[in-house]
Amino acid sequence: MLFEKIAVLTQDEQVQPELYVAVQGDSIAYVGRERPKGDFGRRYDGRGKLLMPGLVNAHSHAPMTLLRGYAEGLSLQAWLNERVFPFEARLTGQDVYFGSLLAYAEMLRFGVTASADMYFFGQDMAKAVLDSGMRANICLSVTCFDDRAFEELPVYEETLRLLESSQGAGNGRLRVDACLHAEYSSTPKVVAGVADFARRMGLRVHVHLSETRQEHEACKARWGLTPAAYLERQGLLENPGIAAHCVHCEEGDRQILAKHGVSAACNPVSNLKLASGILDAPAMLRAGVNLCLGTDGAASNNNLNLFEEMKDLALLSKGLLGDPCAVSAQQALRAATRGGALALGREDCGLIKAGLKADLAVLDAEKPWWSPRFDGPAQLCFGAQGSDVVLTMVDGRVLYEDGRWLTIDVEEARDQVQRRAERIAAELGA
Ligand SMILES: [Zn+2]
């Protein structure tokens, strides 16, 4: 495919008009002012459009579309214990498959090309990733409230089987990461076990970290250490990966994350909705931590529109610190794209650059709210809507275009999710 005369969000987070971008196979073959020589197949008229790297949802629980709107107006602990956990206990693999498929349809609609998803029923999540054409790092949530070692938990065998069946599947689109749900939902033995497993297997780790003040302070009372320092002591952070939330991280915690190359995934909407707090993004950036963005699950958001997260990241930092320069549009754009790709260990994604994977989103830049356009990055960060996306490509393949999904039967996925969610709610008498 050859995008002709299209405005492009370039590697330095600037918008350049009228470029040519050629895609060959799964990769970007050319970016430049001159029409490239050669045949790239379909030609795409880029006038009035803007091309940007696909957004990366660096912390999500895709199948939680099934719980969208099911647990409203509750504190995190009540939200989890009274609504989410009982619902999740009744899920089947097929529920998870259709929930994931609906989530990926939504993400693709909003220009998201890659996602990091922590949940259960890995084989069904994997099937949804492969069927939809998405790029995703999936992991199986590890929790333990008794004296067992990691290797004694069913999730250990499940992770091994998932690695064997799915690691690198779909031309590398699908990856399996190691996982620890959180400090408060595990034991020192299990944390050390996951750490050792990830190290031996060469896996990245996805973990929830310092999401609420209560969790952060309880950890300090329990171990005399912050969650980040405790996980470091247990060896978990020797494996780079994603620490989700990091709302209550202290300066020492930021230094720990930076030292180990662990990315901080900010989830502004979820953190506001559950009143968990606001991450100090400028402090994270100053400490040298790779910042990325996530939607968290649909149950605490309630959509998977990363454009909202990007805008909120910048606005909340400005408001929190009383400084309109606290986080720039460029920094927020980077967190939503390249920052997320690096968090997933996808160095070959997240930029529009020859040689990198063709994970792209095209926006309609002729909507009324796009004129005039003095500042391209600010327009993208503060003015653009997720629904401005008119085309989403993953691995060189168009998966969404002009209201049509090319790999997902959205009506079917929506009906399945509706029926399955109603079934569980009825079983619970809700
Ligand atoms: Zn989460």
mmCIF file of all heavy atoms in Angstrom, residues 262-306:
data_model
loop_
_atom_site.group_PDB
_atom_site.id
_atom_site.type_symbol
_atom_site.label_atom_id
_atom_site.label_comp_id
_atom_site.label_asym_id
_atom_site.label_seq_id
_atom_site.Cartn_x
_atom_site.Cartn_y
_atom_site.Cartn_z
ATOM 1 N N VAL A 262 11.880 -0.715 33.678
ATOM 2 C CA VAL A 262 10.458 -1.071 33.785
ATOM 3 C C VAL A 262 9.635 0.161 33.399
ATOM 4 O O VAL A 262 9.890 1.261 33.883
ATOM 5 C CB VAL A 262 10.110 -1.522 35.223
ATOM 6 C CG1 VAL A 262 8.612 -1.754 35.371
ATOM 7 C CG2 VAL A 262 10.890 -2.790 35.578
ATOM 8 N N SER A 263 8.652 -0.028 32.512
ATOM 9 C CA SER A 263 7.824 1.079 32.044
ATOM 10 C C SER A 263 6.658 1.322 32.992
ATOM 11 O O SER A 263 6.106 0.363 33.545
ATOM 12 C CB SER A 263 7.264 0.767 30.649
ATOM 13 O OG SER A 263 8.318 0.562 29.732
ATOM 14 N N ALA A 264 6.290 2.584 33.154
ATOM 15 C CA ALA A 264 5.130 2.931 33.980
ATOM 16 C C ALA A 264 3.936 3.164 33.060
ATOM 17 O O ALA A 264 3.962 4.056 32.215
ATOM 18 C CB ALA A 264 5.407 4.180 34.798
ATOM 19 N N ALA A 265 2.890 2.349 33.227
ATOM 20 C CA ALA A 265 1.675 2.499 32.409
ATOM 21 C C ALA A 265 0.651 3.306 33.189
ATOM 22 O O ALA A 265 0.120 2.847 34.199
ATOM 23 C CB ALA A 265 1.108 1.138 32.034
ATOM 24 N N CYS A 266 0.401 4.509 32.716
ATOM 25 C CA CYS A 266 -0.552 5.402 33.365
ATOM 26 C C CYS A 266 -1.955 5.128 32.824
ATOM 27 O O CYS A 266 -2.134 4.987 31.618
ATOM 28 C CB CYS A 266 -0.135 6.842 33.077
ATOM 29 S SG CYS A 266 -1.178 8.063 33.844
ATOM 30 N N ASN A 267 -2.926 5.036 33.718
ATOM 31 C CA ASN A 267 -4.326 4.769 33.339
ATOM 32 C C ASN A 267 -5.211 5.875 33.906
ATOM 33 O O ASN A 267 -5.939 5.668 34.871
ATOM 34 C CB ASN A 267 -4.776 3.416 33.911
ATOM 35 C CG ASN A 267 -3.917 2.267 33.435
ATOM 36 O OD1 ASN A 267 -4.265 1.557 32.512
ATOM 37 N ND2 ASN A 267 -2.768 2.094 34.061
ATOM 38 N N PRO A 268 -5.148 7.067 33.317
ATOM 39 C CA PRO A 268 -5.791 8.227 33.943
ATOM 40 C C PRO A 268 -7.287 8.045 34.193
ATOM 41 O O PRO A 268 -7.764 8.376 35.279
ATOM 42 C CB PRO A 268 -5.552 9.358 32.940
ATOM 43 C CG PRO A 268 -4.489 8.887 32.018
ATOM 44 C CD PRO A 268 -4.493 7.401 32.047
ATOM 45 N N VAL A 269 -8.028 7.524 33.220
ATOM 46 C CA VAL A 269 -9.486 7.446 33.383
ATOM 47 C C VAL A 269 -9.859 6.463 34.487
ATOM 48 O O VAL A 269 -10.658 6.770 35.379
ATOM 49 C CB VAL A 269 -10.168 7.060 32.051
ATOM 50 C CG1 VAL A 269 -11.653 6.828 32.266
ATOM 51 C CG2 VAL A 269 -9.947 8.147 31.004
ATOM 52 N N SER A 270 -9.252 5.272 34.457
ATOM 53 C CA SER A 270 -9.535 4.262 35.473
ATOM 54 C C SER A 270 -9.170 4.788 36.864
ATOM 55 O O SER A 270 -9.917 4.599 37.830
ATOM 56 C CB SER A 270 -8.755 2.990 35.156
ATOM 57 O OG SER A 270 -8.876 2.058 36.204
ATOM 58 N N ASN A 271 -8.034 5.452 36.973
ATOM 59 C CA ASN A 271 -7.594 5.976 38.272
ATOM 60 C C ASN A 271 -8.531 7.065 38.789
ATOM 61 O O ASN A 271 -8.745 7.186 39.989
ATOM 62 C CB ASN A 271 -6.168 6.526 38.180
ATOM 63 C CG ASN A 271 -5.120 5.454 37.901
ATOM 64 O OD1 ASN A 271 -4.075 5.738 37.343
ATOM 65 N ND2 ASN A 271 -5.410 4.209 38.261
ATOM 66 N N LEU A 272 -9.102 7.843 37.881
ATOM 67 C CA LEU A 272 -10.066 8.867 38.305
ATOM 68 C C LEU A 272 -11.393 8.224 38.670
ATOM 69 O O LEU A 272 -12.018 8.585 39.657
ATOM 70 C CB LEU A 272 -10.285 9.878 37.173
ATOM 71 C CG LEU A 272 -9.142 10.857 36.903
ATOM 72 C CD1 LEU A 272 -9.483 11.735 35.705
ATOM 73 C CD2 LEU A 272 -8.855 11.726 38.125
ATOM 74 N N LYS A 273 -11.818 7.243 37.855
ATOM 75 C CA LYS A 273 -13.141 6.652 38.058
ATOM 76 C C LYS A 273 -13.209 5.914 39.394
ATOM 77 O O LYS A 273 -14.206 5.971 40.102
ATOM 78 C CB LYS A 273 -13.459 5.697 36.902
ATOM 79 C CG LYS A 273 -14.897 5.237 36.912
ATOM 80 C CD LYS A 273 -15.408 4.891 35.541
ATOM 81 C CE LYS A 273 -16.895 4.598 35.611
ATOM 82 N NZ LYS A 273 -17.191 3.166 35.682
ATOM 83 N N LEU A 274 -12.110 5.206 39.738
ATOM 84 C CA LEU A 274 -12.080 4.491 41.013
ATOM 85 C C LEU A 274 -11.475 5.360 42.113
ATOM 86 O O LEU A 274 -11.204 4.876 43.219
ATOM 87 C CB LEU A 274 -11.295 3.181 40.863
ATOM 88 C CG LEU A 274 -11.918 2.147 39.911
ATOM 89 C CD1 LEU A 274 -10.989 0.976 39.685
ATOM 90 C CD2 LEU A 274 -13.256 1.648 40.446
ATOM 91 N N ALA A 275 -11.252 6.634 41.796
ATOM 92 C CA ALA A 275 -10.716 7.608 42.764
ATOM 93 C C ALA A 275 -9.411 7.121 43.390
ATOM 94 O O ALA A 275 -9.178 7.295 44.588
ATOM 95 C CB ALA A 275 -11.763 7.925 43.829
ATOM 96 N N SER A 276 -8.547 6.510 42.582
ATOM 97 C CA SER A 276 -7.277 5.998 43.095
ATOM 98 C C SER A 276 -6.232 7.100 43.206
ATOM 99 O O SER A 276 -5.294 6.977 43.994
ATOM 100 C CB SER A 276 -6.749 4.890 42.173
ATOM 101 O OG SER A 276 -7.686 3.852 42.074
ATOM 102 N N GLY A 277 -6.369 8.139 42.380
ATOM 103 C CA GLY A 277 -5.406 9.238 42.429
ATOM 104 C C GLY A 277 -4.868 9.566 41.056
ATOM 105 O O GLY A 277 -5.350 9.058 40.045
ATOM 106 N N ILE A 278 -3.833 10.413 41.043
ATOM 107 C CA ILE A 278 -3.255 10.901 39.783
ATOM 108 C C ILE A 278 -1.751 10.666 39.791
ATOM 109 O O ILE A 278 -1.055 11.087 40.717
ATOM 110 C CB ILE A 278 -3.552 12.407 39.603
ATOM 111 C CG1 ILE A 278 -5.063 12.643 39.539
ATOM 112 C CG2 ILE A 278 -2.871 12.948 38.347
ATOM 113 C CD1 ILE A 278 -5.464 14.112 39.599
ATOM 114 N N LEU A 279 -1.255 10.002 38.770
ATOM 115 C CA LEU A 279 0.186 9.746 38.663
ATOM 116 C C LEU A 279 0.923 11.052 38.370
ATOM 117 O O LEU A 279 0.457 11.871 37.582
ATOM 118 C CB LEU A 279 0.424 8.740 37.532
ATOM 119 C CG LEU A 279 1.855 8.478 37.068
ATOM 120 C CD1 LEU A 279 2.072 6.992 36.852
ATOM 121 C CD2 LEU A 279 2.181 9.202 35.774
ATOM 122 N N ASP A 280 2.083 11.231 39.006
ATOM 123 C CA ASP A 280 2.910 12.413 38.757
ATOM 124 C C ASP A 280 3.779 12.128 37.519
ATOM 125 O O ASP A 280 4.910 11.664 37.630
ATOM 126 C CB ASP A 280 3.770 12.715 39.985
ATOM 127 C CG ASP A 280 4.512 14.048 39.848
ATOM 128 O OD1 ASP A 280 4.624 14.554 38.712
ATOM 129 O OD2 ASP A 280 4.964 14.570 40.883
ATOM 130 N N ALA A 281 3.196 12.412 36.348
ATOM 131 C CA ALA A 281 3.884 12.060 35.097
ATOM 132 C C ALA A 281 5.200 12.829 34.898
ATOM 133 O O ALA A 281 6.195 12.227 34.492
ATOM 134 C CB ALA A 281 2.943 12.275 33.912
ATOM 135 N N PRO A 282 5.238 14.150 35.177
ATOM 136 C CA PRO A 282 6.515 14.848 34.992
ATOM 137 C C PRO A 282 7.638 14.251 35.850
ATOM 138 O O PRO A 282 8.781 14.143 35.393
ATOM 139 C CB PRO A 282 6.195 16.290 35.419
ATOM 140 C CG PRO A 282 4.726 16.426 35.201
ATOM 141 C CD PRO A 282 4.149 15.081 35.526
ATOM 142 N N ALA A 283 7.311 13.843 37.083
ATOM 143 C CA ALA A 283 8.344 13.245 37.939
ATOM 144 C C ALA A 283 8.833 11.923 37.347
ATOM 145 O O ALA A 283 10.025 11.601 37.392
ATOM 146 C CB ALA A 283 7.793 13.029 39.351
ATOM 147 N N MET A 284 7.916 11.140 36.779
ATOM 148 C CA MET A 284 8.291 9.877 36.119
ATOM 149 C C MET A 284 9.248 10.164 34.965
ATOM 150 O O MET A 284 10.274 9.489 34.816
ATOM 151 C CB MET A 284 7.059 9.196 35.533
ATOM 152 C CG MET A 284 6.328 8.250 36.420
ATOM 153 S SD MET A 284 7.289 6.878 37.027
ATOM 154 C CE MET A 284 6.141 6.256 38.240
ATOM 155 N N LEU A 285 8.887 11.143 34.156
ATOM 156 C CA LEU A 285 9.708 11.469 32.984
ATOM 157 C C LEU A 285 11.075 11.995 33.422
ATOM 158 O O LEU A 285 12.106 11.604 32.867
ATOM 159 C CB LEU A 285 8.990 12.491 32.097
ATOM 160 C CG LEU A 285 7.734 11.961 31.389
ATOM 161 C CD1 LEU A 285 6.897 13.094 30.814
ATOM 162 C CD2 LEU A 285 8.118 10.979 30.280
ATOM 163 N N ARG A 286 11.095 12.847 34.449
ATOM 164 C CA ARG A 286 12.374 13.376 34.953
ATOM 165 C C ARG A 286 13.278 12.260 35.456
ATOM 166 O O ARG A 286 14.486 12.308 35.303
ATOM 167 C CB ARG A 286 12.129 14.365 36.100
ATOM 168 C CG ARG A 286 11.983 15.805 35.673
ATOM 169 C CD ARG A 286 12.167 16.756 36.859
ATOM 170 N NE ARG A 286 11.369 16.400 38.034
ATOM 171 C CZ ARG A 286 10.084 16.731 38.180
ATOM 172 N NH1 ARG A 286 9.456 17.414 37.250
ATOM 173 N NH2 ARG A 286 9.428 16.370 39.274
ATOM 174 N N ALA A 287 12.677 11.239 36.053
ATOM 175 C CA ALA A 287 13.475 10.120 36.588
ATOM 176 C C ALA A 287 13.989 9.210 35.475
ATOM 177 O O ALA A 287 14.780 8.307 35.729
ATOM 178 C CB ALA A 287 12.632 9.320 37.584
ATOM 179 N N GLY A 288 13.516 9.452 34.254
ATOM 180 C CA GLY A 288 13.982 8.634 33.129
ATOM 181 C C GLY A 288 13.192 7.356 32.928
ATOM 182 O O GLY A 288 13.666 6.428 32.274
ATOM 183 N N VAL A 289 11.984 7.296 33.493
ATOM 184 C CA VAL A 289 11.133 6.117 33.322
ATOM 185 C C VAL A 289 10.398 6.220 31.989
ATOM 186 O O VAL A 289 9.911 7.302 31.625
ATOM 187 C CB VAL A 289 10.098 6.016 34.469
ATOM 188 C CG1 VAL A 289 9.181 4.807 34.267
ATOM 189 C CG2 VAL A 289 10.803 5.937 35.816
ATOM 190 N N ASN A 290 10.332 5.126 31.250
ATOM 191 C CA ASN A 290 9.532 5.108 30.017
ATOM 192 C C ASN A 290 8.054 5.139 30.395
ATOM 193 O O ASN A 290 7.551 4.236 31.062
ATOM 194 C CB ASN A 290 9.840 3.853 29.190
ATOM 195 C CG ASN A 290 8.980 3.788 27.938
ATOM 196 O OD1 ASN A 290 8.885 4.761 27.187
ATOM 197 N ND2 ASN A 290 8.334 2.648 27.714
ATOM 198 N N LEU A 291 7.358 6.187 29.947
ATOM 199 C CA LEU A 291 5.953 6.369 30.293
ATOM 200 C C LEU A 291 5.071 5.875 29.146
ATOM 201 O O LEU A 291 5.347 6.167 27.979
ATOM 202 C CB LEU A 291 5.703 7.860 30.549
ATOM 203 C CG LEU A 291 4.377 8.254 31.182
ATOM 204 C CD1 LEU A 291 4.262 7.689 32.591
ATOM 205 C CD2 LEU A 291 4.259 9.785 31.230
ATOM 206 N N CYS A 292 4.032 5.114 29.491
ATOM 207 C CA CYS A 292 3.102 4.637 28.466
ATOM 208 C C CYS A 292 1.684 4.765 29.027
ATOM 209 O O CYS A 292 1.502 5.176 30.163
ATOM 210 C CB CYS A 292 3.440 3.209 28.066
ATOM 211 S SG CYS A 292 3.644 2.081 29.450
ATOM 212 N N LEU A 293 0.695 4.417 28.230
ATOM 213 C CA LEU A 293 -0.692 4.654 28.597
ATOM 214 C C LEU A 293 -1.538 3.398 28.457
ATOM 215 O O LEU A 293 -1.319 2.595 27.552
ATOM 216 C CB LEU A 293 -1.291 5.712 27.669
ATOM 217 C CG LEU A 293 -0.966 7.162 27.990
ATOM 218 C CD1 LEU A 293 -1.416 8.049 26.842
ATOM 219 C CD2 LEU A 293 -1.621 7.594 29.290
ATOM 220 N N GLY A 294 -2.509 3.262 29.348
ATOM 221 C CA GLY A 294 -3.442 2.143 29.238
ATOM 222 C C GLY A 294 -4.857 2.590 29.545
ATOM 223 O O GLY A 294 -5.072 3.618 30.180
ATOM 224 N N THR A 295 -5.799 1.783 29.079
ATOM 225 C CA THR A 295 -7.208 2.053 29.389
ATOM 226 C C THR A 295 -7.642 1.329 30.646
ATOM 227 O O THR A 295 -8.679 1.637 31.211
ATOM 228 C CB THR A 295 -8.131 1.574 28.255
ATOM 229 O OG1 THR A 295 -7.906 0.169 28.057
ATOM 230 C CG2 THR A 295 -7.855 2.338 26.970
ATOM 231 N N ASP A 296 -6.867 0.293 31.076
ATOM 232 C CA ASP A 296 -7.327 -0.656 32.082
ATOM 233 C C ASP A 296 -8.554 -1.375 31.490
ATOM 234 O O ASP A 296 -8.854 -1.205 30.312
ATOM 235 C CB ASP A 296 -7.636 0.060 33.404
ATOM 236 C CG ASP A 296 -7.328 -0.822 34.621
ATOM 237 O OD1 ASP A 296 -7.005 -2.006 34.447
ATOM 238 O OD2 ASP A 296 -7.404 -0.304 35.754
ATOM 239 N N GLY A 297 -9.259 -2.171 32.257
ATOM 240 C CA GLY A 297 -10.399 -2.899 31.698
ATOM 241 C C GLY A 297 -11.602 -1.987 31.485
ATOM 242 O O GLY A 297 -11.698 -0.925 32.095
ATOM 243 N N ALA A 298 -12.529 -2.440 30.633
ATOM 244 C CA ALA A 298 -13.718 -1.626 30.330
ATOM 245 C C ALA A 298 -14.606 -1.442 31.556
ATOM 246 O O ALA A 298 -15.430 -0.527 31.595
ATOM 247 C CB ALA A 298 -14.523 -2.269 29.201
ATOM 248 N N ALA A 299 -14.445 -2.291 32.577
ATOM 249 C CA ALA A 299 -15.268 -2.168 33.775
ATOM 250 C C ALA A 299 -14.926 -0.923 34.579
ATOM 251 O O ALA A 299 -15.722 -0.463 35.389
ATOM 252 C CB ALA A 299 -15.120 -3.413 34.648
ATOM 253 N N SER A 300 -13.750 -0.366 34.385
ATOM 254 C CA SER A 300 -13.366 0.827 35.154
ATOM 255 C C SER A 300 -13.008 1.984 34.235
ATOM 256 O O SER A 300 -12.137 2.789 34.528
ATOM 257 C CB SER A 300 -12.188 0.507 36.080
ATOM 258 O OG SER A 300 -11.073 0.041 35.337
ATOM 259 N N ASN A 301 -13.720 2.094 33.054
ATOM 260 C CA ASN A 301 -13.260 3.161 32.141
ATOM 261 C C ASN A 301 -14.366 4.027 31.524
ATOM 262 O O ASN A 301 -14.256 5.248 31.688
ATOM 263 C CB ASN A 301 -12.384 2.546 31.035
ATOM 264 C CG ASN A 301 -11.680 3.634 30.238
ATOM 265 O OD1 ASN A 301 -12.305 4.556 29.730
ATOM 266 N ND2 ASN A 301 -10.372 3.573 30.138
ATOM 267 N N ASN A 302 -15.332 3.685 30.776
ATOM 268 C CA ASN A 302 -15.883 2.408 30.344
ATOM 269 C C ASN A 302 -15.632 2.105 28.868
ATOM 270 O O ASN A 302 -16.270 1.221 28.316
ATOM 271 C CB ASN A 302 -17.389 2.394 30.542
ATOM 272 C CG ASN A 302 -17.795 2.469 32.017
ATOM 273 O OD1 ASN A 302 -17.002 2.591 32.944
ATOM 274 N ND2 ASN A 302 -19.061 2.378 32.257
ATOM 275 N N ASN A 303 -14.702 2.869 28.238
ATOM 276 C CA ASN A 303 -14.378 2.525 26.856
ATOM 277 C C ASN A 303 -12.881 2.282 26.726
ATOM 278 O O ASN A 303 -12.138 2.381 27.706
ATOM 279 C CB ASN A 303 -14.867 3.605 25.876
ATOM 280 C CG ASN A 303 -14.170 4.940 26.081
ATOM 281 O OD1 ASN A 303 -12.981 4.988 26.398
ATOM 282 N ND2 ASN A 303 -14.893 6.031 25.904
ATOM 283 N N LEU A 304 -12.437 1.919 25.543
ATOM 284 C CA LEU A 304 -11.031 1.579 25.318
ATOM 285 C C LEU A 304 -10.443 2.559 24.307
ATOM 286 O O LEU A 304 -9.714 2.180 23.405
ATOM 287 C CB LEU A 304 -10.931 0.126 24.818
ATOM 288 C CG LEU A 304 -11.647 -0.902 25.707
ATOM 289 C CD1 LEU A 304 -11.580 -2.295 25.085
ATOM 290 C CD2 LEU A 304 -11.057 -0.934 27.112
ATOM 291 N N ASN A 305 -10.814 3.834 24.500
ATOM 292 C CA ASN A 305 -10.423 4.897 23.578
ATOM 293 C C ASN A 305 -9.180 5.597 24.111
ATOM 294 O O ASN A 305 -9.267 6.455 24.988
ATOM 295 C CB ASN A 305 -11.602 5.872 23.443
ATOM 296 C CG ASN A 305 -11.258 7.061 22.568
ATOM 297 O OD1 ASN A 305 -10.159 7.164 22.038
ATOM 298 N ND2 ASN A 305 -12.213 7.957 22.430
ATOM 299 N N LEU A 306 -8.028 5.237 23.596
ATOM 300 C CA LEU A 306 -6.764 5.743 24.134
ATOM 301 C C LEU A 306 -6.555 7.237 23.875
ATOM 302 O O LEU A 306 -5.726 7.865 24.528
ATOM 303 C CB LEU A 306 -5.599 4.931 23.559
ATOM 304 C CG LEU A 306 -4.419 4.715 24.499
ATOM 305 C CD1 LEU A 306 -4.776 3.779 25.632
ATOM 306 C CD2 LEU A 306 -3.216 4.180 23.760
#
